[in-house]
Amino acid sequence: TALSPGNVWVIGQHFTASAPPIPIVAHWNGSSWRVLPTAPRPSSPRYSEFGFMALGTSGQSSLWAGGNWNAGPRTAGSPLLDRWNGTHWENVPFPQTPSTVISAIYVNSPTDVWVGANRESYDAPFPPQGFLEHWNGARWSALRVPGAHPYSNL
């Protein structure tokens, strides 16, 4: 996401041969890149992977990154959502639904954030399905997606 030629943010996953993937956030200030530490993650004695897949912003002080984390390949994951507070990243609680992956974020203001997500199914009794959540600055509200059927993605 480019706010200006000297203010660019990118997100993703960092892979190494010796460790599971972790989320990464980098910022371009017009002359160099800086990798920023992300919010603390849940610890797991098993293999865990974390990754960002969506980034939304309305300005320098309202930047959100989302994705998911799970305990390994083909396991049910949990949503991963972080917010930049101007100095560091902090985790934002997101409604826990089975196998949720955050795939889109639109930030109008700190009190008007829209998140598109997909509920994925790995041998679970429910089909994949896209859904929307809205943050009003205090709580999340689920929104019906018109025309969405059980196998739709956002």
Side-chain angles (χ1 to χ4, degrees):
T1 297
L3 301 173
S4 71
N7 189 5
V8 179
W9 294 85
V10 296
I11 49 113
Q13 284 181 300
H14 176 71
F15 293 86
T16 66
S18 60
I22 58 170
I24 188 168
V25 177
H27 180 252
W28 173 256
N29 65 11
S31 60
S32 64
W33 286 100
R34 180 174 70 135
V35 175
L36 295 120
T38 58
R41 301 287 162 235
S43 60
S44 171
R46 302 178 317 199
Y47 177 92
S48 294
E49 62 181 39
F50 305 91
F52 288 134
M53 294 172 222
L55 183 65
T57 184
S58 67
Q60 180 72 18
S61 63
S62 189
L63 188 68
W64 294 60
N68 79 321
W69 72 272
N70 60 37
R74 298 193 54 77
T75 60
S78 295
L80 176 64
L81 186 62
D82 287 356
R83 175 179 49 216
W84 179 254
N85 69 9
T87 59
H88 67 275
W89 289 93
E90 53 194 15
N91 189 258
V92 178
F94 189 77
Q96 296 294 313
T97 56
S99 304
T100 297
V101 177
I102 294 173
S103 55
I105 302 172
Y106 172 77
V107 181
N108 190 45
S109 74
T111 59
D112 187 16
V113 179
W114 299 81
V115 173
N118 296 302
R119 185 177 65 202
E120 297 182 346
S121 176
Y122 294 112
D123 304 321
F126 50 83
Q129 186 171 18
F131 62 95
L132 288 172
E133 294 277 344
H134 179 256
W135 174 254
N136 67 7
R139 67 179 187 88
W140 291 101
S141 301
L143 298 155
R144 185 178 176 280
V145 178
H149 60 83
Y151 290 93
S152 60
N153 281 326
L154 294 178

